[in-house]
Amino acid sequence: MRNKGAVIVLTVVVTLLCIYYLSFTFVSRGIQQDAIDIATDESGVVDLGKKQAYLDSIYNLPVYNLFGAEFTYKEVKDTELNLGLDLQGGMHVTLEVSPIDIIKGLSGNSNNQAFLTAIEKAKERQRESTTQFADLFLEAYQETTDVPLANVFATAANRGRISRGDSDEAVMDVVKSEIDDAIDRSFIILRTRLDEFGTSQPVIQKLEDQGRIQIEIPGADNPERVRKLLQGVAKLEFWEVAEPATLNNSLMAINSLLVNEEKAKSALGEDTDLAADTKEEVAEQEEEQDLGAALSAEGDSSEEVSLDSALGNTDSTANAVDSLTSTQSPLFELAVGGLMYDLRDTAVIGQILRRPDVKALFRGAVKPLWAVKPITDEQNGRDLLQLYFVETGRGGEAKLTGEVITDARQELDQYSRPAISMQMNALGTRVWAKMTAEAASKNPRGRIAIVLDNVVYSAPGVNGEIPNGNSQITGDFTLDEAKDLANILKAGSLPAPTKIVEEAIVGPTLGEVARNQGILSMVAGLAIVVIFMIGYYAKGGIVANIALVFNIFFILGILAQLKSALTLPGIAGIVLTIGMSIDANVLIFERIREELRNGVKLKAAITAGYQKAFSSIVDANVTTLLTAIILFALGQGPIKGFAITLMIGIICSFFTAVYITRVIVEWWTKKGDESKISFETPFSRNLMANMNVDFMGKRRMAYMISSIVIVVGIALIFIQGLNLGVDFKGGRSYIVNFGEPVVATDMKVALSKSFEDGGTEVKNYGSNSIVKVTTSYMIDDDSDEADDQVQSALIKGIAEYTGQDFVETDSQVDSEHFTISGSSKVGATIAEDIKKSSLEAGIFAIIAIFVYILIRFRRWQFSTGAIIALIHDSLFVFAAFGIAGALGFKFEIDQVFVAAILTIIGYSINDTVVVFDRIREYLGLGAGRERLKVFNTAINSTMNRTVMTSFTTLIVVLILFIFGGEVLRGFSFSLLVGIIVGTYSSIFIASPVVADLDKKLTE
C-alpha cells in the first residue's frame, strides 16, 4: 500500500484532535454535575435557579488547564460537543420580521385606501403562498389602482431615495432593501440580547433566502421571558458620557468603602473573596429588559459635522484611576488601563456596582453601562470590556431616543475609511444640536454614548455643535462594524417588530428520555454489528470493527470541532452510519474472498480486493454524500442536524474502511504468516457463493408486484390521508404527561369541544400515560396571545375531562396532576415553506444522482434505470405508510420523514451502483457474450455483498425502530421499508430497466 505513512500520521493527528475537543465535553459535564450537586437539597430536589447562579458565577473564570493553557467555563462550553434541544430540553424559535409594518412605516402610515386594500389582499394571499410579501403587495396594489406607488411612498422621510417620478418597481426595490436591512439589524439586536443568556449557549442564524431568523436556546426554562426578549422592539438611546475625571471623588469614596469593608472582614477572619459572593447574586442579573417601542418619524437635514468614535479610548479613564490611592478595591485593582476589565471579572464588578450603598456614593445621577463587545488583548491573551458611566439627569430618561432617526447608512469618510452617516427629524435635530453643543464645550470634549438595550455600541467624541441633524460618526471601524452600527441606528427609524412563526419547547425530562433512547439505540446497534461481523468475517470482522469504532469516535470529535449540535436525528444518522459504514468493508472482503476462491494468494487477493472494490465504494459514497449535501442545503431544523452527521459519517467511514483497515490488514500479514488473518468462518465460507438465479427472467413479475403495492398504497392514502405533522400542515402540538394511563380517543372527543374551530388529533406518545395533542385551532394567528389562548383551552379541556390539575414541572405529575413537557408551533407560511423545500430537496437529489451516474457510466440507460428505481422506492415507502395506516399504525410524516426519504434515495443508489459497476465490468470482458446472462451473472455475483450490507443496516435500523422513541418512529419505519425495497429495486427494477431500455443488450 502506498502512502501508508501518511494514513498513519493523518489517523494519529485526527485522533489527537478529537481527544482534544472531546475533552472539553467531559470537563463541561463534570462542572454541570458539580452545579447539580450544589443545587440539590436534602430531599433530592434540584433548585434550577441556584444551579444556574453557580454556572453564571464561574462563566468567565478559568476551570480547565490543558498543558498550561487556561480555559474559562465560557470557552469550555463553546468548545464542547453540544446537545440539541431534543436531547437536553430548551426552546427553538423562528422569527419573522414583519414586512407589513416596514411597508406602512415607509409610507408614513399612509391612509390611502388602495394602499391599505393591497396590504390586506397580500396578507390573505401569503397564507397560501411562499412568495415574498413585498411581491404579493405590489401585485395586489397594481390590481387595485393605476396610481403609481411613488405617490404613497414619496414622503419627506424618503427624500433622496424615492421621488414621485419613480416606477413601481424602483419603489419596491427601496422597500425590499429596507426589509432586508430590518432583518440584518434585528439579527444584530437579537444576537446581542441573546449573549445575556450566557451559559445557555444560544445559537442564532439568519435564513437568508426566507427573511427569517432562527434561534435555539438550550436549557431555556422560561418561555414567556424568551418571547418577550425576542419580540420586543429595540430601545435606542443617546446619553452623555460622564467622564471618569468628573467622578473622581465618587470613585475614591467607593474605593474607600470597599477597602474598609475588606479590612473589617479580614479582622474578623471572614472570607474576603468578593467573587465567592457572586454565586448567590448572579441570578439577580437576569432582570427583564425594558424594551421600549421605536416609532417612525420624519425630518430632513443638510449639514454634516464629524463625530470621532472614542470607543476604546481610555486615556482620561486611565488618568482618573492612576490618581487613586494605592490601596485599591477590586473595582480598581482589576481595572486594566482605566475602567476596562478582563471579561472574566465583569461579574464581580457588576455585583459591586449594583449595591445600594455603592450607588449612593455617586454624586450626580449616573448609571454604569458595558460596551457591546470586548476588545482582544492579544499580548496578554485576554478579552477586555469597557465600562462607561452615563449622565441620566433627574428624570432618568434619555434626552434623545431612536425614533428621531430617519436614516443611517454606512459610507466612507474623507480618508476613505468606513464611517456612518445619520439623519434626524426636526425634533431630533433641535435636541441633538443642544446635546452636541454642550458636549463640544466641555474640556476635554464630551462624548455621547449610542446605547441599544442598555449596551454601549459606540461613544464618539463631539468636535462641535451639529445644528442640522446630519452627523457623521468616524473612527477605527471595519466595514462590517460600520454597517452593524448603521443598522443599529436605523433600529429606531422604522417599526420592525418580529413575530414568532415557529416554536418548539422541549422539557428537560422529555429531552433526557430522548437522549437515553438514542444512546441505547446506538450502543445496541453497534454491539449487534460487532458480533455479526466477527461471526461472518472472522479476523477480518475484527478489523472492520476497529474501523467502525474509529469512525464513531471521529464523527463525535469532528462534530465538536465544528461546534455542531448532536440532535436525536443526528444520533439516528450515527446509527445509520454504523450500518452503512460496514458496506465498504463488505465490498472489500467479498472481493478478497472471490480472489481467494479463484486460487490467488492471500497478499495478492488483499491487494486485488481493495483495488477492485475501490471504484464501487467511491461511487456508492459519492451518491449518498450528494443527497446529504442537498439535505443540508435545503433542509431546516432537525434535517440539518441529520445531514451534518451523515456527511461527516460518510467521509469518516470511507477513510476508516478503505485506508485504516488496509493498514491493519497489511500489518497483520507483513511477516508472510497467512494464518494470522482470515475473512471467512465455517458459517460464511460457501454462503451464496454459487448462486445462479434468473433475475432478468423474473423482471416483469417484479414490475407487476411493485405496481400493485404502489397503486394500493397510494389509493389508501387518497382515501384516508396521511398523518401529517405540524411541520407540513401548520398548527400547534403539545406533549402532555399524566401520572396514569389515559384513553387518547376519549380525550380527542373532549378536546374537540375546546378547539371548536380547528381540527384536533390526540394519540399516545411512547406510552399510555403520555399523549401528543395536535390542533389547527387559531392556526392563522401567530401572536403570543393566541399561543396563550390555545394552551389555556388545552389545559381547561384536559382538566374537565380528567378532573386533574395542571402543574408546571414533571416532578409533580401523579394521579391528580398533569403537565405539558413539550410543545411546538408552526405557522401556515412556515409549513408551506417546509413543503416547498422538501420537494426541492427530492428533485435536486434525483437530478444530481442522474448526472453523476451518467458521468460515471456514460450511458443514459444506466442513469434512467437508477432514477426509475429511486422513484419506485420513494413511492413504495409512501404506499407502505398508506397500508400501515389502514392496519391501524399511524406513523407521523414530518421533516425527519423527508430526511428518511432522501436517505433511502442515497442508500438505494448505493446498492444500485455496486450492481451497475459489476455489470460494467462484465460487459467489458467480452462483447460476444449474451447480454442478459451478463446482467444475471453480475447480480448473482454481488448477492453476497448486497444481502450482507442490507442485513447489517436493517438490523441497526430495526434497533432504532424499537428503542429510538416516538420521535423517530416514522423515520425508522421509513428506513426499514426503504432498505428492504432499495435492495429489491437494485436487483429487480434498476438493472432490468437498463436492459429493457438498451435494445443492444437484449439482442
Side-chain angles (χ1 to χ4, degrees):
M1 174 186 175
R2 298 178 182 178
N3 303 319
K4 184 189 301 181
V7 172
I8 294 173
V9 170
L10 183 58
T11 302
V12 171
V13 169
V14 174
T15 301
L16 291 176
L17 283 173
C18 289
I19 292 172
Y20 170 78
Y21 282 100
L22 289 175
S23 70
F24 290 91
T25 303
F26 289 106
V27 172
S28 177
R29 296 291 181 270
I31 292 172
Q32 290 178 56
Q33 186 57 53
D34 291 342
I36 292 173
D37 294 341
I38 290 172
T40 304
D41 61 21
E42 295 179 356
S43 62
V45 177
V46 179
D47 185 335
L48 295 178
K50 192 172 183 180
K51 172 190 170 185
Q52 192 64 43
Y54 172 77
L55 294 175
D56 286 344
S57 70
I58 64 171
Y59 192 53
N60 290 310
L61 299 178
V63 295
Y64 182 36
N65 189 303
L66 185 63
F67 302 117
E70 288 191 337
F71 299 92
T72 65
Y73 183 53
K74 176 183 183 300
E75 291 168 332
V76 169
K77 290 291 290 180
D78 287 343
T79 313
E80 73 168 335
L81 176 62
N82 299 323
L83 295 180
L85 302 186
D86 48 6
L87 296 180
Q88 65 170 316
M91 192 170 181
H92 165 95
V93 174
T94 299
L95 292 154
E96 189 173 71
V97 178
S98 173
I100 298 173
D101 292 310
I102 296 172
I103 291 173
K104 286 182 176 179
L106 271 175
S107 71
N109 292 310
S110 172
N111 291 319
N112 182 290
Q113 192 57 47
F115 171 77
L116 297 176
T117 300
I119 285 181
E120 291 303 316
K121 283 184 178 180
K123 284 170 64 177
E124 289 295 325
R125 292 174 182 177
Q126 193 177 44
R127 292 174 182 171
E128 299 178 356
S129 173
T130 57
T131 305
Q132 290 187 353
F133 183 85
D135 293 325
L136 294 174
F137 164 75
L138 176 60
E139 177 185 298
Y141 183 84
Q142 290 177 338
E143 290 175 1
T144 306
T145 181
D146 293 330
V147 178
L149 264 177
N151 287 14
V152 178
F153 288 96
T155 64
N158 296 328
R159 185 173 299 167
R161 293 189 297 168
I162 299 176
S163 63
R164 290 191 176 274
D166 287 345
S167 66
D168 288 355
E169 286 71 23
V171 172
M172 289 311 298
D173 285 342
V174 176
V175 171
K176 289 179 180 179
S177 176
E178 283 295 336
I179 292 173
D180 291 340
D181 287 347
I183 295 168
D184 288 340
R185 62 178 176 263
S186 294
F187 177 79
I188 296 166
I189 293 165
L190 292 171
R191 183 178 59 194
T192 304
R193 289 179 185 173
L194 287 169
D195 286 342
E196 300 299 320
F197 274 81
T199 55
S200 294
Q201 280 186 287
V203 177
I204 178 170
Q205 59 179 325
K206 280 187 291 186
L207 304 179
E208 297 286 356
D209 56 336
Q210 300 175 35
R212 298 189 181 106
I213 299 169
Q214 198 171 77
I215 297 170
E216 289 190 354
I217 309 175
D221 55 3
N222 189 340
E224 285 303 319
R225 177 172 179 261
V226 173
R227 293 187 190 107
K228 182 175 180 181
L229 182 73
L230 297 180
Q231 295 185 108
V233 179
K235 184 179 182 181
L236 179 66
E237 300 169 314
F238 295 87
W239 296 92
E240 296 173 3
V241 176
E243 299 299 342
T246 66
L247 300 172
N248 261 350
N249 293 335
S250 298
L251 295 174
M252 292 178 69
I254 295 170
N255 186 69
S256 298
L257 170 70
L258 297 175
V259 169
N260 291 334
E261 185 179 271
E262 294 300 292
K263 287 180 178 178
K265 285 185 178 181
S266 180
L268 294 173
E270 296 179 5
D271 183 9
T272 61
D273 185 4
L274 267 174
D277 298 332
T278 64
K279 294 180 182 179
E280 296 297 327
E281 299 184 23
V282 167
E284 298 175 6
Q285 298 177 28
E286 298 184 352
E287 298 176 357
E288 296 186 10
Q289 302 177 26
D290 179 17
L291 306 172
L295 306 175
S296 64
E298 298 179 9
D300 61 11
S301 51
S302 56
E303 184 175 345
E304 184 174 297
V305 181
S306 176
L307 290 157
D308 293 329
S309 174
L311 186 62
N313 183 351
T314 59
D315 292 342
S316 59
T317 307
N319 294 334
V321 174
D322 290 342
S323 67
L324 294 169
T325 173
S326 59
T327 305
Q328 294 182 343
S329 68
L331 184 63
F332 302 115
E333 185 179 10
L334 298 176
V336 180
L339 294 181
M340 187 175 285
Y341 295 90
D342 191 309
L343 195 61
R344 294 172 291 189
D345 298 327
T346 53
V348 175
I349 302 305
Q351 178 211 357
I352 292 172
L353 295 175
R354 286 193 303 274
R355 287 174 46 170
D357 54 347
V358 170
K359 291 180 181 179
L361 293 175
F362 281 106
R363 298 179 182 179
V366 298
K367 70 174 180 179
L369 296 172
W370 291 104
V372 66
K373 65 178 181 180
I375 297 171
T376 302
D377 178 5
E378 295 182 356
Q379 183 176 355
N380 296 300
R382 57 187 176 181
D383 290 330
L384 305 176
L385 199 63
Q386 179 70 56
L387 175 65
Y388 293 91
F389 289 93
V390 296
E391 299 175 1
T392 59
R394 291 183 179 179
E397 298 292 331
K399 295 179 181 178
L400 203 61
T401 52
E403 65 265 22
V404 302
I405 297 177
T406 59
D407 193 23
R409 63 188 65 186
Q410 180 266 319
E411 59 180 25
L412 299 177
D413 65 11
Q414 58 182 329
Y415 303 108
S416 297
R417 298 176 304 183
I420 302 97
S421 65
M422 175 177 67
Q423 293 82 43
M424 296 183 178
N425 63 16
L427 174 62
T429 297
R430 290 195 298 272
V431 179
W432 188 239
K434 185 177 179 180
M435 286 183 69
T436 52
E438 291 176 355
S441 66
K442 293 180 179 179
N443 186 19
R445 62 178 180 164
R447 293 184 290 166
I448 296 178
I450 301 170
V451 179
L452 182 77
D453 291 344
N454 291 318
V455 178
V456 178
Y457 277 77
S458 184
V462 183
N463 290 332
E465 178 186 351
I466 302 176
N468 292 315
N470 191 351
S471 313
Q472 186 184 69
I473 302 173
T474 61
D476 190 19
F477 296 115
T478 65
L479 278 171
D480 287 339
E481 289 171 341
K483 183 180 179 181
D484 286 352
L485 183 53
N487 276 326
I488 291 303
L489 291 169
K490 287 182 72 173
S493 64
L494 286 172
T498 55
K499 65 176 181 178
I500 295 175
V501 293
E502 182 185 19
E503 176 184 287
I505 301 170
V506 180
T509 302
L510 195 63
E512 184 180 1
V513 170
R515 184 169 66 247
N516 293 338
Q517 290 172 334
I519 292 173
L520 177 61
S521 300
M522 188 163 61
V523 172
L526 178 62
I528 290 176
V529 168
V530 165
I531 294 170
F532 181 81
M533 288 299 290
I534 295 175
Y536 198 91
Y537 288 112
K539 290 183 179 179
I542 295 175
V543 174
N545 290 334
I546 293 172
L548 184 59
V549 172
F550 268 109
N551 187 21
I552 295 172
F553 179 67
F554 286 170
I555 291 172
L556 296 176
I558 292 172
L559 282 173
Q561 292 178 53
L562 297 177
K563 297 184 178 180
S564 298
L566 179 62
T567 61
L568 190 56
I571 289 181
I574 294 177
V575 172
L576 185 60
T577 300
I578 291 174
M580 294 178 66
S581 64
I582 295 298
D583 179 54
N585 286 126
V586 170
L587 275 171
I588 294 167
F589 294 166
E590 288 301 323
R591 280 287 193 172
I592 293 173
R593 287 168 52 157
E594 283 182 28
E595 297 296 322
L596 291 172
R597 282 195 292 267
N598 292 331
V600 180
K601 295 293 185 181
L602 179 62
K603 284 189 176 181
I606 290 171
T607 301
Y610 275 94
Q611 288 176 348
K612 291 183 177 181
F614 188 80
S615 176
S616 296
I617 294 170
V618 169
D619 288 337
N621 279 273
V622 169
T623 50
T624 309
L625 185 63
L626 283 173
T627 60
I629 291 171
I630 291 168
L631 269 175
F632 178 77
L634 298 178
Q636 300 178 23
I639 292 182
K640 280 190 180 292
F642 174 78
I644 291 173
T645 307
L646 190 59
M647 284 190 290
I648 295 171
I650 291 167
I651 295 169
C652 290
S653 65
F654 179 80
F655 176 74
T656 56
V658 174
Y659 295 106
I660 290 182
T661 59
R662 188 162 187 185
V663 169
I664 297 172
V665 167
E666 291 193 355
W667 173 78
W668 230 332
T669 58
K670 66 180 179 180
K671 294 182 179 180
D673 185 358
E674 297 188 358
S675 64
K676 286 187 175 181
I677 188 168
S678 60
F679 297 94
E680 61 184 16
T681 64
F683 163 72
S684 65
R685 182 167 292 122
N686 296 312
L687 192 65
M688 292 183 286
N690 299 303
M691 288 189 65
N692 187 24
V693 179
D694 183 13
F695 293 106
M696 300 304 291
K698 297 177 174 59
R699 65 186 187 277
R700 289 178 175 80
M701 182 185 297
Y703 295 164
M704 186 179 299
I705 292 172
S706 292
S707 299
I708 291 172
V709 173
I710 290 173
V711 168
V712 170
I714 298 299
L716 287 172
I717 289 174
F718 276 107
I719 294 170
Q720 63 190 9
L722 286 170
N723 182 22
L724 297 177
V726 292
D727 292 356
F728 289 119
K729 65 183 180 183
R732 295 172 176 86
S733 69
Y734 305 86
I735 308 298
V736 187
N737 289 40
F738 298 88
E740 57 187 14
V742 293
V743 181
T745 52
D746 293 345
M747 185 174 290
K748 177 179 179 179
V749 175
L751 289 177
S752 297
K753 300 175 183 177
S754 300
F755 303 133
E756 294 179 359
D757 298 328
T760 303
E761 178 186 272
V762 181
K763 64 179 182 180
N764 287 109
Y765 193 77
S767 76
N768 291 332
S769 60
I770 305 175
V771 298
K772 182 176 185 179
V773 180
T774 304
T775 179
S776 57
Y777 179 55
M778 300 185 72
I779 186 177
D780 294 324
D781 192 340
D782 293 321
S783 67
D784 289 347
E785 293 75 15
D787 294 341
D788 294 338
Q789 188 174 335
V790 175
Q791 182 162 319
S792 296
L794 172 70
I795 293 171
K796 181 181 178 182
I798 293 176
E800 290 177 352
Y801 167 69
T802 62
Q804 300 176 4
D805 296 326
F806 172 73
V807 290
E808 293 288 344
T809 63
D810 291 355
S811 60
Q812 296 175 281
V813 173
D814 52 33
S815 60
E816 298 180 357
H817 300 90
F818 69 93
T819 192
I820 298 174
S821 60
S823 65
S824 64
K825 176 183 76 173
V826 178
T829 305
I830 285 281
E832 287 297 323
D833 287 348
I834 292 173
K835 288 179 186 176
K836 180 182 176 183
S837 65
S838 300
L839 182 61
E840 288 175 348
I843 293 172
F844 278 114
I846 288 174
I847 292 173
I849 289 172
F850 180 88
V851 172
Y852 182 80
I853 298 296
L854 184 62
I855 293 171
R856 289 291 292 151
F857 291 90
R858 306 293 179 88
R859 284 185 179 178
W860 66 268
Q861 290 90 344
F862 281 101
S863 291
T864 305
I867 296 308
I868 289 175
L870 295 183
I871 294 173
H872 163 273
D873 297 344
S874 301
L875 291 176
F876 209 105
V877 172
F878 274 100
F881 269 73
I883 294 169
L887 296 175
F889 300 100
K890 292 280 189 178
F891 297 110
E892 187 170 274
I893 292 182
D894 52 16
Q895 286 191 75
V896 183
F897 171 80
V898 178
I901 289 293
L902 290 187
T903 304
I904 290 165
I905 289 175
Y907 185 84
S908 176
I909 197 65
N910 188 321
D911 258 351
T912 302
V913 163
V914 172
V915 177
F916 281 2
D917 191 67
R918 191 63 67 95
I919 290 172
R920 179 176 56 182
E921 178 185 336
Y922 285 177
L923 286 174
L925 294 178
R929 302 174 65 187
E930 189 176 340
R931 298 303 179 88
L932 286 180
K933 286 186 177 180
V934 170
F935 273 58
N936 274 326
T937 304
I939 296 172
N940 278 291
S941 65
T942 57
M943 277 299 293
N944 206 331
R945 172 263 165 205
T946 300
V947 171
M948 274 295 301
T949 302
S950 299
F951 180 74
T952 53
T953 309
L954 192 67
I955 289 294
V956 174
V957 174
L958 183 61
I959 294 295
L960 185 66
F961 180 75
I962 296 171
F963 298 110
E966 194 65 36
V967 175
L968 294 176
R969 195 76 71 203
F971 173 84
S972 49
F973 176 74
S974 305
L975 290 180
L976 276 175
V977 176
I979 290 168
I980 295 171
V981 77
T983 304
Y984 160 82
S985 70
S986 65
I987 298 169
F988 288 104
I989 304 296
S991 300
V993 166
V994 175
D996 287 338
L997 289 175
D998 193 342
K999 298 301 182 183
K1000 292 181 180 179
L1001 298 178
T1002 57
E1003 291 175 355

